[in-house]
Amino acid sequence: MKEDPIETLRQQDTNLRDAIKLEEEALPPMPADLNARLMQRVEEERAKEVAKRRRVRMFWPLVAAACVAALIAVFLTPPKGTLEDGMSAGKPVAVKVDKPKREKEVPQVEVPQKATQTEAPQRISIPSEEKVAEQPKMKRPAATTSRPLLAQKPVAEKAVAENAVAEEAVAVVESSTEQSIPETPRGEMATVTLTERDIPITRPENYQYTPEEIALMKKQANEAYLKWVELELEISKYTLEKMAQK
Amino acid sequence: MVTDIETNLIEGLREHSPKAQQMMVERYGRHVFSQVVRLLPSVEDAEEVYQDVFLKVFLNINRYDEEKASLKSWVSRIAYNESMIRAALKHLPPEERSLITMFYYEEMSVKDIAYVTDSPPNTIASKLFRTRKKLCKIIQMIQS
């Protein structure tokens, strides 16, 4: 309703319309290639959009796969306690060692006091090697064994332990148990800490020759040299004799 | 309010049909350009705004409501707003203008702008916020 008088005014006002027309004509013309450039830009934007969508489409399956992998890793990995890399990593490992059963000593307790007093110092003076022989039931963890933390070993392994080869390791274990662990009641377990250093072959000092070994090698080399000189002399004597015969 | 041709055109635009987009540009291009040039004396600026207007139209066609206005009016409104923003930008100091240009026109992230300007991202974010407010005030002043 209100627009009608304004519309009539606009149609009647020819001067104003002419002025607007003139001003429009004075404005810069629209470039001919502007629409082409616009359409090109639209295409570029569309390509960008498609690439973005594709990236998003590629991204989420990867995220899902990563989540599934993480879940599988969490649920399928064994608990920490069963991991077997304790010894190989060079970290100290707690090894439970059976205290030797002293079944034979039990009757000794019943012996009168005088007898026990005389026996006690004897026991102390026993060298460590003998002690090893006396205590065959002690469990010695092998450096490469995969279960150093097992508390109880089967009987077969006990037998192997009895014939154990690495006496030094045993001695170390033995000495450490003797020194650090107080005597526990029979049947209880004692904890000993073993490292790679306790295995003789891995001790760095064993990589080098001892002075005794070096002296022995020198002696052997000298003897070999003397023997070689004697042999050369014999050879030359033999050749001289042959030449004299000729 | 909306003719059959326009209805088909809007349908095509909503389907992102290149034909419909071409038709839209041919139909309303001259009108938009003259409107932009009237507000922005520089032809380069007018050309940029012209392209921005049509890109906005193509991207936001789903937000167009036929009940409220004709397609031509809707496009004119976008052109007017874009031109006003561009005109207001001229009144900003160079630093703020470059921030707005980088963020809105070049679509750079705050992190990238921070790297370019060698300033912390938080500072850039707060500067952008302040500049936006300033821009609104300038636009209101131009309109009044």
Side-chain angles (χ1 to χ4, degrees):
Chain A
M1 296 292 278
K2 282 180 185 175
E3 278 186 5
D4 290 334
I6 296 168
E7 191 66 25
T8 48
L9 270 174
R10 194 169 67 175
Q11 281 172 2
Q12 283 169 0
D13 202 344
T14 49
N15 290 337
L16 185 62
R17 274 199 289 168
D18 286 345
I20 291 166
K21 225 179 198 178
L22 280 171
E23 203 184 319
E24 292 257 317
E25 280 168 5
L27 288 172
M30 186 175 159
D33 64 333
L34 187 58
N35 284 345
R37 273 188 279 153
L38 170 65
M39 291 315 290
Q40 199 180 333
R41 199 174 152 191
V42 169
E43 282 297 315
E44 283 170 12
E45 292 288 327
R46 192 178 295 153
K48 261 189 208 173
E49 194 70 23
V50 169
K52 206 175 176 181
R53 270 184 212 161
R54 198 173 293 164
R55 232 178 295 142
V56 170
R57 243 180 260 162
M58 289 289 288
F59 175 72
W60 286 112
L62 285 173
V63 168
C67 288
V68 169
L71 276 173
I72 288 168
V74 165
F75 284 110
L76 293 187
T77 44
K80 257 189 178 178
T82 57
L83 289 176
E84 303 166 357
D85 56 349
M87 290 293 276
S88 59
K91 293 171 188 169
V93 177
V95 180
K96 286 185 178 175
V97 181
D98 272 349
K99 259 304 205 193
K101 288 177 183 176
R102 295 183 181 178
E103 288 170 356
K104 289 176 184 175
E105 289 175 13
V106 175
Q108 286 175 3
V109 178
E110 293 166 2
V111 176
Q113 272 193 341
K114 283 178 186 175
T116 50
Q117 280 170 1
T118 51
E119 277 176 17
Q122 280 176 1
R123 237 181 275 148
I124 292 162
S125 63
I126 294 169
S128 61
E129 286 178 9
E130 286 177 27
K131 281 181 183 175
V132 172
E134 278 179 18
Q135 298 164 352
K137 287 179 181 176
M138 191 196 74
K139 288 177 183 175
R140 192 186 63 76
T144 51
T145 49
S146 56
R147 290 171 192 170
L149 295 174
L150 285 178
Q152 298 283 331
K153 287 188 176 180
V155 183
E157 279 189 31
K158 275 184 187 174
V160 173
E162 281 175 0
N163 303 325
V165 222
E167 286 87 1
E168 285 183 50
V170 175
V172 168
V173 172
E174 180 59 30
S175 59
S176 59
T177 49
E178 286 291 312
Q179 288 165 8
S180 60
I181 302 168
E183 280 196 1
T184 51
R186 200 173 66 181
E188 277 189 22
M189 309 297 279
T191 306
V192 181
T193 304
L194 280 181
T195 63
E196 275 189 359
R197 274 189 69 82
D198 296 328
I199 304 157
I201 205 161
T202 55
R203 283 184 203 160
E205 59 263 27
N206 287 349
Y207 295 147
Q208 293 172 347
Y209 289 112
T210 58
E212 291 83 20
E213 284 171 335
I214 292 165
L216 184 69
M217 279 192 294
K218 275 182 183 173
K219 196 182 163 189
Q220 283 174 346
N222 287 336
E223 281 172 3
Y225 180 71
L226 283 171
K227 277 179 185 173
W228 177 76
V229 169
E230 281 170 8
L231 190 69
E232 286 293 313
L233 280 170
E234 272 182 24
I235 291 165
S236 55
K237 263 185 195 176
Y238 178 75
T239 46
L240 282 169
E241 278 173 9
K242 278 233 166 173
M243 280 176 73
Q245 280 175 8
K246 278 179 184 177
Chain B
M1 198 173 262
V2 180
T3 61
D4 287 348
I5 300 166
E6 271 192 2
T7 311
N8 291 336
L9 185 61
I10 291 160
E11 284 296 311
L13 288 174
R14 281 181 178 152
E15 288 161 10
H16 301 286
S17 149
K19 261 190 181 179
Q21 288 173 347
Q22 184 70 37
M23 196 178 158
M24 174 84 183
V25 169
E26 283 166 9
R27 199 175 163 94
Y28 300 110
R30 200 164 290 277
H31 166 72
V32 169
F33 188 78
S34 60
Q35 188 186 357
V36 172
V37 157
R38 239 178 272 139
L39 288 162
L40 299 168
S42 159
V43 182
E44 286 82 24
D45 283 351
E47 283 179 15
E48 272 185 35
V49 170
Y50 175 84
Q51 291 190 359
D52 289 344
V53 168
F54 277 104
L55 278 175
K56 271 199 168 177
V57 167
F58 298 152
L59 278 174
N60 302 305
I61 189 69
N62 288 324
R63 287 162 70 176
Y64 167 62
D65 187 0
E66 294 99 325
E67 304 284 316
K68 283 185 180 173
S70 67
L71 191 60
K72 189 181 175 182
S73 305
W74 186 64
V75 173
S76 296
R77 184 179 166 159
I78 292 172
Y80 175 77
N81 287 338
E82 280 289 313
S83 309
M84 290 303 283
I85 291 167
R86 193 56 73 105
L89 269 178
K90 300 225 170 218
H91 294 274
L92 285 175
E95 196 202 349
E96 290 174 344
R97 199 190 312 157
S98 65
L99 277 184
I100 292 285
T101 310
M102 279 192 273
F103 191 73
Y104 287 103
Y105 291 92
E106 291 167 25
E107 290 179 353
M108 284 169 75
S109 66
V110 173
K111 203 179 158 190
D112 289 342
I113 297 169
Y115 179 76
V116 168
T117 55
D118 195 18
S119 42
N122 287 341
T123 314
I124 296 295
S126 60
K127 271 186 184 175
L128 271 171
F129 177 74
R130 264 183 276 134
T131 312
R132 258 198 306 260
K133 275 195 165 182
K134 203 172 173 181
L135 208 58
C136 284
K137 276 183 188 172
I138 294 168
I139 290 168
Q140 281 171 0
M141 278 168 67
I142 292 172
Q143 281 174 336
S144 62

